[in-house]
Amino acid sequence: MLRREYENQNCSIARTLEVVGERWSLLIVRDVLLGVHRFDDLVERLRITRSVLTVRLERLVGAGVLSRQPYQQRPVRYEYHLTDKGRQLWPILIHLMRWGDEHYAGPQGPPRVFEHIDCGGHPDDHLCCDRCAEPLHADNTKSRRSPTHASAGREHIRQGT
Amino acid sequence: MLRREYENQNCSIARTLEVVGERWSLLIVRDVLLGVHRFDDLVERLRITRSVLTVRLERLVGAGVLSRQPYQQRPVRYEYHLTDKGRQLWPILIHLMRWGDEHYAGPQGPPRVFEHIDCGGHPDDHLCCDRCAEPLHADNTKSRRSPTHASAGREHIRQGT
């Protein structure tokens, strides 16, 4: 038994999934990356219960993926931002998005695109810019609703994290 | 309400997580990628209940991530293999592994490494070979327990999928 337990627990994929391996946690990281930093905004965007969001945020802060920063006193209110460790989840999110784009985008095509800020290119299979070949990461890309989806609703996500 | 629902559901990350967004599904894909193809072997490796594994496998087959191939008649027994769509999850798994390696590997270092079959190099931040720069994917890499973990248990995972 010990050997099996060791093998399973001592896997970096399993350990990562313990931190971000259910739907809500990665969707919270996605929204914070897209610029949604406040509790009430996350509740509205994700349509998640306040109690579940509270638990997930505490877990992500405890794991060092998000940091809590006060933006108001009396009463104290906090914004949630990605730490460096959290920003390192960017490749996982982009590959999840690309896989979903390929297999689940409807006739309108992918709902959202990530662009290289400098030249407007997009991430290729290896997350380099398909236009200028520069390696892409969370800090040199921005996300926007794709043109074919522009009419679906106002674009209310602020850029930047 | 419609707008919010649309925004949430029409996200490629959310849609992908609906298919592979809980711990078991990605760990099943991981093990099939590593060469574990049979139901009883998956039960033993994952320490998952047979009923949960049955449901997860059906879901992954239904989503076109895994295919079922008979390896025995009377009674019919099946092996599970990754489809092309399933193999396209490789970058997600490797980035999950790299993130876990960086933040959760113990003093012995990462438990498992992926190597470029041709030259023995490893995936860099952009999943190219850090030795010869060739783009890496599921078909030109192999996985093995890292040397520092070699004594933890016999290496019983067959290579190839």
Side-chain angles (χ1 to χ4, degrees), chain B residues 15-16 33 39 42 63-65 68-69 77 80-81 90 102 105 120 127 132 141-144 148 152 155:
Chain B
R15 283 177 173 170
T16 303
L33 177 72
F39 190 91
L42 287 165
V65 170
R68 248 164 43 125
Q69 301 167 14
R77 293 272 185 270
Y80 296 86
H81 289 262
W90 187 83
E102 176 156 354
L127 306 190
C132 74
T141 51
K142 64 180 179 183
S143 150
R144 63 173 177 80
T148 50
E155 172 63 281

Side-chain angles (χ1 to χ4, degrees), chain B:
Chain B
M1 288 305 284
L2 245 183
R3 183 178 66 78
R4 279 218 303 273
E5 189 165 320
Y6 175 85
E7 281 186 357
N8 277 299
Q9 294 190 356
N10 195 23
C11 163
S12 291
I13 294 175
R15 283 177 173 170
T16 303
L17 292 176
E18 274 169 25
V19 179
V20 293
E22 47 73 51
R23 194 166 180 247
W24 285 128
S25 295
L26 274 171
L27 293 182
I28 291 167
V29 171
R30 172 199 68 180
D31 277 3
V32 175
L33 177 72
L34 292 175
V36 184
H37 298 292
R38 297 185 179 179
F39 190 91
D40 288 339
D41 293 340
L42 287 165
V43 168
E44 188 189 328
R45 280 273 304 172
L46 292 166
R47 299 198 307 158
I48 186 176
T49 66
R50 303 177 75 84
S51 58
V52 170
L53 179 60
T54 299
V55 171
R56 292 294 181 277
L57 286 171
E58 277 175 11
R59 189 174 167 83
L60 290 168
V61 170
V65 170
L66 298 180
S67 67
R68 248 164 43 125
Q69 301 167 14
Y71 68 89
Q72 174 190 300
Q73 306 291 335
R74 279 177 279 191
V76 180
R77 293 272 185 270
Y78 296 95
E79 286 188 338
Y80 296 86
H81 289 262
L82 290 175
T83 61
D84 288 344
K85 181 177 175 182
R87 295 175 84 74
Q88 290 169 8
L89 292 168
W90 187 83
I92 296 168
L93 288 172
I94 300 301
H95 278 295
L96 284 168
M97 191 181 81
R98 286 173 56 87
W99 195 80
D101 284 346
E102 176 156 354
H103 297 289
Y104 297 101
Q108 284 186 292
R112 182 167 285 277
V113 291
F114 272 79
E115 285 182 351
H116 184 198
I117 290 171
D118 286 352
C119 80
H122 302 99
D124 67 11
D125 287 349
H126 290 266
L127 306 190
C128 292
C129 178
D130 64 4
R131 191 173 292 178
C132 74
E134 187 171 322
L136 300 180
H137 46 75
D139 298 317
N140 65 1
T141 51
K142 64 180 179 183
S143 150
R144 63 173 177 80
R145 186 173 298 284
S146 61
T148 50
H149 289 261
S151 60
R154 66 193 167 85
E155 172 63 281
H156 72 291
I157 297 173
R158 291 162 291 163
Q159 289 302 328
T161 58

Side-chain angles (χ1 to χ4, degrees), chain A residues 56-120:
Chain A
R56 292 293 181 279
L57 286 171
E58 276 175 12
R59 190 174 167 82
L60 290 168
V61 169
V65 170
L66 297 179
S67 67
R68 250 166 40 128
Q69 301 167 14
Y71 68 89
Q72 172 189 302
Q73 305 294 334
R74 277 178 281 190
V76 180
R77 293 272 185 272
Y78 296 96
E79 287 189 337
Y80 294 86
H81 289 263
L82 290 174
T83 62
D84 287 344
K85 181 178 175 182
R87 295 175 83 74
Q88 290 170 7
L89 292 168
W90 187 82
I92 296 167
L93 288 171
I94 299 301
H95 279 296
L96 285 167
M97 191 181 80
R98 287 172 55 86
W99 195 81
D101 284 347
E102 176 157 355
H103 298 290
Y104 297 102
Q108 285 186 292
R112 183 167 284 278
V113 292
F114 271 80
E115 285 181 351
H116 184 198
I117 291 171
D118 285 352
C119 80

Side-chain angles (χ1 to χ4, degrees), chain A residues 19 22-32 36-62 66 68 78-80, chain B residues 8:
Chain A
V19 179
E22 47 74 51
R23 195 165 179 247
W24 286 127
S25 295
L26 274 171
L27 293 183
I28 291 167
V29 171
R30 172 199 68 179
D31 277 2
V32 176
V36 184
H37 299 291
R38 297 184 179 179
F39 190 90
D40 288 340
D41 293 339
L42 287 166
V43 168
E44 188 189 327
R45 280 273 305 172
L46 293 165
R47 301 198 306 159
I48 186 176
T49 66
R50 302 177 76 84
S51 59
V52 170
L53 180 58
T54 298
V55 171
R56 292 293 181 279
L57 286 171
E58 276 175 12
R59 190 174 167 82
L60 290 168
V61 169
L66 297 179
R68 250 166 40 128
Y78 296 96
E79 287 189 337
Y80 294 86
Chain B
N8 277 299

